Amino acid sequence: TTVVVDLGRAMGELGRDVDVRAVVLTGAGEKAFVAGADIAELAELDGPGAERYAAAGQGLMWSLENLGKPVIAAIGGFALGGGLELALACTVRWAAAGARLGLPETNLGLIPGFGGTQRLARLIGEGRCMELVLTGDQIDAQEAHRLGLVNRVVPKGEVLSVARELAAKIASKSAPIVSHCM
């Protein structure tokens, strides 16, 4: 829960900073973008604690999605559970070859709690979304691209540098008005 709060605080600061024109969100290293919640931590939550945790996560995703600036998810490795939900709230998603994505909550008797099912359905369609959610299966970056879940797949080890290039390109343009393309 500390990560959710800290990330929400950071997004608020970036949203208010007029000099920030685009944001790149990535994990530390190439192993994972975000591998999801600490299951042991979740197991200790009581009903009200779980509700607070879900509300905090939903608030973070909403603030990220509505930052008013493009947010590029640079997915270098695993993006599972809340990690995939975080990527889904970003404006653009680029993944490294070999990255793995999924919503494995059903394997634990849970459901995605941060709004990821709605965002995923908007991106890839309801039927494909239901299949991924109900099976808890992980997919690789190429399949995620084929489904429309990620915008591009780049060579392993290059996702952060190409995402930074994209952010610089976006920042060099007139101030974008980020909204949903419909």
Side-chain angles (χ1 to χ4, degrees):
T1 59
T2 304
V3 173
V4 170
V5 172
D6 291 345
L7 194 51
R9 187 175 299 119
M11 287 300 118
E13 291 170 12
L14 291 169
R16 289 186 295 275
D17 189 334
V18 296
D19 294 327
V20 174
R21 303 281 300 272
V23 175
V24 174
L25 187 60
T26 193
E30 294 180 20
K31 184 176 180 182
F33 174 69
V34 177
D38 179 343
I39 302 307
E41 184 179 313
L42 288 181
E44 293 179 8
L45 294 175
D46 59 5
E51 287 180 23
R52 284 190 300 273
Y53 178 72
Q58 291 165 9
L60 168 61
M61 302 309 156
W62 185 91
S63 66
L64 184 61
E65 194 171 47
N66 294 285
L67 192 64
K69 300 170 188 200
V71 181
I72 303 156
I75 305 167
F78 290 100
L80 302 174
L84 179 55
E85 291 187 279
L86 186 67
L88 291 168
C90 293
T91 314
V92 175
R93 286 153 303 285
W94 284 16
R100 305 282 302 171
L101 300 89
L103 295 170
E105 288 87 343
T106 56
N107 296 326
L108 304 169
L110 304 170
I111 59 169
F114 295 166
T117 55
Q118 294 85 358
R119 290 180 183 93
L120 183 61
R122 283 196 304 261
L123 281 174
I124 70 171
E126 188 175 331
R128 286 180 262 178
C129 171
M130 289 300 293
E131 181 179 343
L132 286 175
V133 171
L134 293 173
T135 63
D137 288 346
Q138 294 178 23
I139 57 173
D140 64 20
Q142 286 74 19
E143 178 67 1
H145 181 258
R146 189 186 74 72
L147 293 174
L149 175 51
V150 299
N151 302 76
R152 280 205 193 153
V153 178
V154 301
K156 188 173 177 71
E158 295 181 22
V159 72
L160 182 56
S161 63
V162 296
R164 285 180 173 156
E165 289 173 14
L166 176 61
K169 181 177 183 178
I170 291 168
S172 74
K173 310 293 180 186
S174 62
I177 299 172
V178 178
S179 180
H180 299 288
C181 295
M182 305 272 294

